[in-house]
Amino acid sequence: MGDGAGIYVASIDPCSRRPSGPLRPFFVSTALGRDGARLLRRPADVAFAPDGRLFVADDQHGSVYWIAPDSLRR
């Protein structure tokens, strides 16, 4: 995937359950690997852990990344 591969979020209207605003970037891959390709090529699925971590599966790269809140203890 080209530039801009990432995770985007939208506000949802609680009554209609439809997006109520534009998409906003949550995580956009800007890091490059050794071969010069973007590290996150195509986020295919996301899941949350009970502790708040967000897992992102990249089916082009065969990788799973996780993003954690600053408040999560190491």
Side-chain angles (χ1 to χ4, degrees), residues 36-59:
R38 299 242 179 247
L39 289 180
L40 181 64
R41 293 185 184 173
R42 186 171 80 173
D45 199 6
V46 298
F48 282 95
D51 64 3
R53 288 180 293 163
L54 171 65
F55 290 88
V56 181
D58 182 340
D59 67 350

Side-chain angles (χ1 to χ4, degrees), residues 51-52 68-74:
D51 64 3
D70 288 338
S71 60
L72 186 66
R73 291 179 51 110
R74 291 184 181 196

Side-chain angles (χ1 to χ4, degrees), residues 14-38:
C15 296
S16 69
R17 297 186 181 191
R18 293 179 173 254
S20 61
L23 292 176
R24 297 179 316 241
F26 174 74
F27 173 79
V28 179
S29 180
T30 57
L32 300 176
R34 291 183 188 156
D35 61 357
R38 299 242 179 247

